[in-house]
Amino acid sequence: MINLRDKQILVTGGAGFLGRQVVQQLLIAGARKDNITIPRSQNCDLRVLENCQKAVFGQDIVIHLAAHVGGIGLNREKPAELFYDNLMMGTQLIQAAYQAGVEKFVCLGTICAYPKFTPVPFKEAELWNGYPEETNAPYGIAKKVLLVQLQSYRQQYGFNGIYLLPVNLYGPEDNFDPRSSHVIPALICKVYEAQQKGETKIPVWGDGSATREFLYSTDAARAIVMATQFYDEPEPVNLGTNFEVSIRELVEMICEVMEFKGEIIWETDKPNGQPRRCLDTTLAQEKFGFVAQMEFKQGLKNTVDWYRQQAR
């Protein structure tokens, strides 16, 4: 176990949706606020090696959350940017951390790294058994390369880097920008705008058959901090709930929570994305005792309530 009290901790993406929750969980776990450093993209572009070197200097632990990420729309529009930005940020930060003698590197991967047709529930051992779903592949592969880098640095240099694979996250303070948001905030926005305009229909991409799994941001942050303290092995670890829900069911739940009675127009000419997503979460429980706590419908309600307050 790592005692966080006297550790200098760098949290990339620490001012973001998940990052703020991770910082809060670090404090709960005993870290000192003054010992946590959060680089900001406007003055610390992690695609530049020199910035990575400055950021990791004097740090004991690096938790790498920063990412250029979005939903299906952004993945289709900017695959090259998503590949390059995520690869360069991660690979240079790992190299800089190794050179600086950082004690531990915690890297957040993505469920998009899994093959398009992975047996459900996804087991970590299946990660290399096929090509990712096409729309997410550039992002997913860029993040998966970082796993190879951490494993090879561990093998050759004894560098302690771990790799975590979260499912889609959701919760208050998520990204609700319709141009780049993931499915839950995008749907909440659509329903809210329809209600504001008095509309009785909303369009939704795909046919509703695809399934997803969602992890509440506070649960995800708690898992990351638990792994930081207790997990020191080369194998990647899934972070999720093992609860699978179809997009059709998700839309119905959001409409119910938001009391929207209108019609759903399924845009079947638009992509569904990966057919199914649901993780085997056994390893996280066995290795560092993580079990998700937030009930899904309550998490949706919390997210909707937060968005409505911000939208006023």
Side-chain angles (χ1 to χ4, degrees), residues 2 4 12 17 51 67 71 108 115-117 119 132 137 144 176 181 187-188 191 199 218 233 239 250 271 295 312:
I2 294 179
L4 300 176
T12 73
F17 162 53
N51 291 340
L108 209 66
K116 180 175 182 177
F117 299 106
K144 191 153 65 166
F176 285 85
S181 58
L187 288 170
I188 290 171
V191 173
E199 295 172 350
T218 306
E233 297 177 32
L239 303 180
L250 174 65
E295 190 273 326
R312 283 175 184 165

Side-chain angles (χ1 to χ4, degrees), residues 116-183:
K116 180 175 182 177
F117 299 106
T118 305
V120 174
F122 295 7
K123 289 180 168 61
E124 292 88 350
E126 299 282 348
L127 194 58
W128 296 99
N129 291 346
Y131 194 76
E133 196 279 323
E134 292 80 4
T135 54
N136 296 314
Y139 170 66
I141 290 172
K143 297 290 277 186
K144 191 153 65 166
V145 167
L146 306 181
L147 169 60
V148 178
Q149 185 177 5
L150 288 172
Q151 290 176 329
S152 59
Y153 277 45
R154 181 184 289 272
Q155 180 182 342
Q156 184 172 345
Y157 306 134
F159 183 62
N160 186 12
I162 65 169
Y163 189 89
L164 306 173
L165 284 159
V167 287
N168 298 60
L169 305 180
Y170 76 107
E173 301 183 331
D174 202 345
N175 169 28
F176 285 85
D177 183 337
R179 294 168 298 180
S180 58
S181 58
H182 285 104
V183 61

Side-chain angles (χ1 to χ4, degrees), residues 190 202-208 264-272:
K190 279 188 178 183
I202 60 166
V204 179
W205 278 23
D207 60 14
I264 310 303
I265 307 299
W266 295 100
E267 297 186 323
T268 54
D269 59 323
K270 299 289 198 303
N272 277 326

Side-chain angles (χ1 to χ4, degrees), residues 171-282:
E173 301 183 331
D174 202 345
N175 169 28
F176 285 85
D177 183 337
R179 294 168 298 180
S180 58
S181 58
H182 285 104
V183 61
I184 287 179
L187 288 170
I188 290 171
C189 280
K190 279 188 178 183
V191 173
Y192 181 82
E193 288 175 8
Q195 288 174 320
Q196 294 301 109
K197 295 174 182 176
E199 295 172 350
T200 59
K201 299 178 181 178
I202 60 166
V204 179
W205 278 23
D207 60 14
S209 65
T211 68
R212 293 294 179 264
E213 177 182 346
F214 299 96
L215 182 62
Y216 196 64
S217 55
T218 306
D219 277 335
R222 192 165 49 81
I224 290 164
V225 173
M226 291 170 78
T228 301
Q229 290 185 281
F230 299 107
Y231 186 65
D232 293 307
E233 297 177 32
E235 288 76 25
V237 181
N238 289 334
L239 303 180
T241 61
N242 197 231
F243 173 71
E244 186 179 14
V245 60
S246 73
I247 297 300
R248 185 175 294 275
E249 291 168 325
L250 174 65
V251 171
E252 290 169 356
M253 290 173 78
I254 288 174
C255 289
E256 182 184 341
V257 168
M258 299 184 73
E259 298 181 339
F260 178 72
K261 313 289 188 188
E263 183 183 356
I264 310 303
I265 307 299
W266 295 100
E267 297 186 323
T268 54
D269 59 323
K270 299 289 198 303
N272 277 326
Q274 192 163 19
R276 292 183 70 186
R277 283 186 186 168
C278 184
L279 296 183
D280 183 318
T281 55
T282 306

